[in-house]
Amino acid sequence: MTNRKKPALGVFVYFAIAFALGTYFTFAAVQGDFGLFSRAEIEAEADALQAQLDLLNSDIAMMENLTRRLSDTYLDLDLLDEQARSVIGLLRSDEIVIR
């Protein structure tokens, strides 16, 4: 008769729990709320928002320039003439409008 020892059940349970925890933490690191996929989505959204912010900043700079050019301290007559023509529809008597 040979005396074979069966592996202890505790070793299997230990490795099963270790494998389950490793799998869980790997999944959480990749697809969890703070995982790699979420980080990529957040970075893409941040890039889109930065582009939108840059566009808005350029619009603000343009509006500030136009406001300064029409202010009391500095009056750009060409801009004033352009605004009067586009907003009011003002024309001089010697002009012809072609649409």
Side-chain angles (χ1 to χ4, degrees), residues 9-10 20 22 25 27 29 32-33 39 49 51 58 62 67 79:
L9 184 60
F25 286 123
F27 179 80
D33 290 339
R39 181 181 178 111
L49 289 174
S58 68
M62 183 187 67
T67 303
L79 180 62

Side-chain angles (χ1 to χ4, degrees), residues 71-88:
S71 68
D72 291 338
T73 59
Y74 178 86
L75 183 60
D76 186 354
L77 295 178
D78 290 334
L79 180 62
L80 180 63
D81 183 55
E82 178 186 332
Q83 292 296 318
R85 290 170 184 271
S86 67
V87 174
I88 302 172

Side-chain angles (χ1 to χ4, degrees), residues 33-88:
D33 290 339
F34 302 103
L36 294 175
F37 291 148
S38 295
R39 181 181 178 111
E41 289 175 2
I42 290 170
E43 287 177 357
E45 185 178 354
D47 291 341
L49 289 174
Q50 184 64 44
Q52 186 178 5
L53 178 64
D54 294 340
L55 179 65
L56 290 174
N57 282 335
S58 68
D59 288 346
I60 289 171
M62 183 187 67
M63 287 182 208
E64 286 175 346
N65 182 30
L66 290 175
T67 303
R68 185 186 64 79
R69 289 171 54 196
L70 288 175
S71 68
D72 291 338
T73 59
Y74 178 86
L75 183 60
D76 186 354
L77 295 178
D78 290 334
L79 180 62
L80 180 63
D81 183 55
E82 178 186 332
Q83 292 296 318
R85 290 170 184 271
S86 67
V87 174
I88 302 172

Side-chain angles (χ1 to χ4, degrees), residues 81 85 90-97:
D81 183 55
R85 290 170 184 271
L90 186 67
L91 296 174
R92 291 192 306 244
S93 61
D94 61 343
E95 292 181 331
I96 299 173
V97 176

